[in-house]
C-alpha cells in the first residue's frame, strides 16, 4: 500500500477528511478493501484455541490498548452462548499496576514480552494492535510469542511496519489514517465476534455446572458401555484413557466419574455419589447438544453436559485435571 501525501495537516501525519460525511465514506471505502479471507482464517484460529482450552492474549498502546481491552469483553462475555462459557482471555495492558511496575523496573519496551513469558503457554494466541506496526513493546511481544509456540495475530495498518514480519496472520486496515484504521480494527473484531457466535452454535464444548473432585478423577466409567460405544468419538476416548495415568489407590464409593446417555442413568449415578457427565448428543447435528436431552439431564442432576466424545483430549484434560 503506497503512502499518501499529507494535504492540509501541519504535522507530518496522514489526515482523513475533516468533513464528517466524507470521513464516513472514506471508512466505508477502506472497509470494502479489507482482506476478508484473512478474517476468516483468524476466526478459525480463535475457535480452535477455545476448543483446545488455550488462552487468547491481547495487547496494544494508546487507542490500540483500548481496543485490545474491549475485545476481551466481546470474547469472554459476548461469545458466551448456548449455556457455555466464552473464550479464556487476558489483556496484557489492562493492569496499570503490572505495566507501570515492569516499565519502571525494566523498560516499557519489555512489558508485554515479560508478561507473555510469565503467563503464556504453547498453543495460546497473542492478538496485537498497532497502527504503525513499529511499537517496540508490540514487536518484542510478537517475537517472544513465536519463540514460545504461541500463534500471533496482528491488526495493523499502513504498511504493517515491523510487526507484520512476526505475525502468523496479519490483517492490515487499508488506510494511512490512524483514526480510520483504529475505527476499522473495532469493526473487524465486532464482525469476527458475530462470525464466532455463529460457528459456536455447532461447535463441541463442555458445559460445566460443578467440577469433579480429585478423588473422583481417579476413575471413569460408562453407564452403558454398549450404547456409549455408538456415540461419535468413543474409540478415541478409550484409547486416550488407556494412555492416561490414573491413580490405582483404593477408591471410596463416590470416587468415580460416570458418563450417562439419558436422565434415568443420570439419576442412578447421582444416587451412587458419582460425578455425572451427561452425553446429550443431537443425532441430527454432529457436535451439537440436544436441548431436550440436555434439559432432562440437568433436571436429573448432571454435573456436566457434552454432545459426544469427539473432543476426547479436551474432555480428559478437564476431567483428569491435566
Amino acid at each position: 500500500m503506497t503512502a499518501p501525501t499529507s494535504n492540509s495537516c501541519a504535522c507530518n501525519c496522514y489526515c482523513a477528511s475533516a468533513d464528517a460525511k466524507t470521513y464516513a465514506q472514506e471508512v466505508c471505502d477502506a472497509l470494502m478493501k479489507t482482506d476478508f479471507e484473512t478474517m476468516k482464517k483468524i476466526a478459525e484460529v480463535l475457535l480452535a484455541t477455545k476448543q483446545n482450552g488455550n488462552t487468547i492474549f491481547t495487547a496494544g498502546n494508546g487507542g490500540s490498548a483500548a481496543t485490545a481491552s474491549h475485545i476481551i469483553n466481546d470474547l469472554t462475555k459476548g461469545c458466551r452462548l448456548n449455556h457455555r462459557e466464552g473464550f479464556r482471555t487476558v489483556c496484557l495492558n489492562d493492569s496499570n499496576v503490572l505495566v507501570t511496575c515492569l516499565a519502571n523496573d525494566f523498560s516499557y519496551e519489555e512489558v508485554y514480552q515479560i508478561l507473555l513469558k510469565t503467563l503464556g503457554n504453547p498453543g495460546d494466541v497473542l492478538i496485537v494492535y498497532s497502527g504503525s506496526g513499529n511499537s517496540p513493546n508490540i514487536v518484542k511481544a510478537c517475537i517472544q510469542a513465536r519463540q514460545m509456540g504461541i500463534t500471533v495475530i496482528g491488526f495493523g495498518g499502513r504498511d504493517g511496519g515491523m510487526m507484520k514480519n512476526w505475525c502468523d496472520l496479519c490483517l492490515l486496515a487499508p488506510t494511512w489514517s490512524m483514526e480510520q484504521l483504529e475505527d476499522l480494527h473495532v469493526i473487524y473484531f465486532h464482525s469476527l465476534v458475530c462470525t464466532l457466535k455463529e460457528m459456536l452454535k455447532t461447535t463441541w464444548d463442555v458445559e460445566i455446572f460443578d467440577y469433579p473432585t480429585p478423588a473422583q478423577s481417579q476413575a471413569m466409567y460408562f453407564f452403558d458401555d454398549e450404547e456409549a460405544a455408538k456415540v461419535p468419538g468413543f474409540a478415541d476416548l478409550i484409547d486416550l484413557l488407556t494412555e492416561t495415568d490414573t491413580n490405582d489407590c483404593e477408591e471410596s464409593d463416590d470416587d468415580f466419574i460416570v458418563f450417562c446417555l439419558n436422565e434415568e442413568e443420570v439419576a442412578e449415578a447421582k444416587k451412587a455419589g458419582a460425578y455425572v457427565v451427561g452425553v446429550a448428543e443431537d443425532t441430527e447435528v454432529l457436535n451439537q447438544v440436544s436441548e431436550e436431552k440436555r434439559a432432562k439431564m440437568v433436571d436429573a442432576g448432571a454435573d456436566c453436559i457434552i454432545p459426544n466424545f469427539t473432543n476426547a483430549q479436551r474432555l480428559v484434560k478437564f476431567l483428569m485435571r491435566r
Side-chain angles (χ1 to χ4, degrees):
M1 181 165 49
T2 303
T5 57
S6 179
N7 295 323
S8 58
C9 187
C11 62
N12 184 25
C13 62
Y14 308 109
C15 290
S17 174
D19 176 71
K21 186 174 182 180
T22 305
Y23 181 100
Q25 187 60 58
E26 289 170 351
V27 173
C28 290
D29 292 343
L31 178 62
M32 297 315 296
K33 296 176 184 176
T34 297
D35 182 354
F36 293 105
E37 188 61 32
T38 294
M39 284 188 66
K40 180 181 177 182
K41 293 177 182 177
I42 291 173
E44 292 170 349
V45 169
L46 297 183
L47 186 63
T49 304
K50 186 179 193 303
Q51 287 180 281
N52 294 330
N54 287 104
T55 301
I56 297 172
F57 295 93
T58 67
N61 296 285
S64 292
T67 303
S69 182
H70 179 163
I71 69 170
I72 292 298
N73 179 74
D74 295 336
L75 287 169
T76 305
K77 188 273 178 184
C79 288
R80 188 182 191 280
L81 72 165
N82 292 349
H83 319 292
R84 298 176 298 181
E85 303 304 323
F87 289 75
R88 182 177 299 172
T89 56
V90 174
C91 179
L92 298 179
N93 56 254
D94 264 358
S95 174
N96 287 331
V97 173
L98 277 172
V99 170
T100 54
C101 169
L102 295 173
N104 183 67
D105 291 357
F106 298 93
S107 72
Y108 189 65
E109 293 185 6
E110 297 174 89
V111 289
Y112 301 146
Q113 176 188 17
I114 293 171
L115 285 171
L116 192 65
K117 188 175 182 180
T118 304
L119 302 173
N121 290 291
D124 290 340
V125 167
L126 171 66
I127 300 176
V128 287
Y129 288 90
S130 177
S132 69
N134 292 317
S135 300
N137 58 4
I138 293 297
V139 174
K140 284 180 177 292
C142 293
I143 294 172
Q144 180 66 47
R146 293 291 290 270
Q147 291 174 347
M148 296 173 64
I150 294 173
T151 300
V152 181
I153 297 174
F155 287 84
R158 302 179 178 177
D159 63 358
M162 295 175 61
M163 178 185 76
K164 71 177 182 182
N165 298 323
W166 297 99
C167 291
D168 296 282
L169 289 169
C170 191
L171 184 62
L172 300 182
T175 174
W176 286 75
S177 162
M178 186 63 72
E179 294 82 6
Q180 291 183 353
L181 67 85
E182 289 182 352
D183 292 338
L184 292 175
H185 287 171
V186 175
I187 293 173
Y188 291 158
F189 215 86
H190 280 163
S191 174
L192 279 168
V193 167
C194 292
T195 299
L196 287 168
K197 287 168 72 173
E198 186 63 27
M199 296 169 75
L200 285 167
K201 289 180 181 179
T202 55
T203 300
W204 196 103
D205 208 344
V206 183
E207 182 185 350
I208 306 165
F209 304 111
D210 291 301
Y211 289 82
T213 66
Q216 287 172 321
S217 295
Q218 293 172 9
M220 299 185 196
Y221 303 103
F222 299 89
F223 198 96
D224 186 329
D225 288 1
E226 187 174 336
E227 287 302 311
K230 300 176 184 177
V231 177
F234 178 82
D236 290 338
L237 177 60
I238 294 299
D239 289 343
L240 192 56
L241 289 175
T242 302
E243 298 170 0
T244 304
D245 292 334
T246 57
N247 193 333
D248 294 328
C249 68
E250 185 178 350
E251 301 163 7
S252 62
D253 290 341
D254 60 353
D255 288 351
F256 56 94
I257 294 170
V258 180
F259 296 91
C260 300
L261 303 182
N262 57 59
E263 67 272 24
E264 290 83 12
E265 295 176 357
V266 170
E268 289 190 45
K270 287 298 290 184
K271 287 180 182 178
Y275 179 88
V276 177
V277 179
V279 186
E281 179 193 10
D282 187 333
T283 55
E284 300 297 325
V285 183
L286 182 64
N287 290 340
Q288 184 163 310
V289 166
S290 164
E291 288 300 321
E292 182 179 359
K293 289 182 180 179
R294 174 194 175 275
K296 291 180 179 179
M297 289 183 173
V298 171
D299 289 342
D303 298 295
C304 173
I305 300 289
I306 60 173
N308 51 53
F309 306 121
T310 55
N311 200 337
Q313 190 167 12
R314 182 177 180 190
L315 182 61
V316 171
K317 183 178 180 181
F318 156 63
L319 293 173
M320 301 299 292
R321 307 292 182 87
R322 302 274 170 103

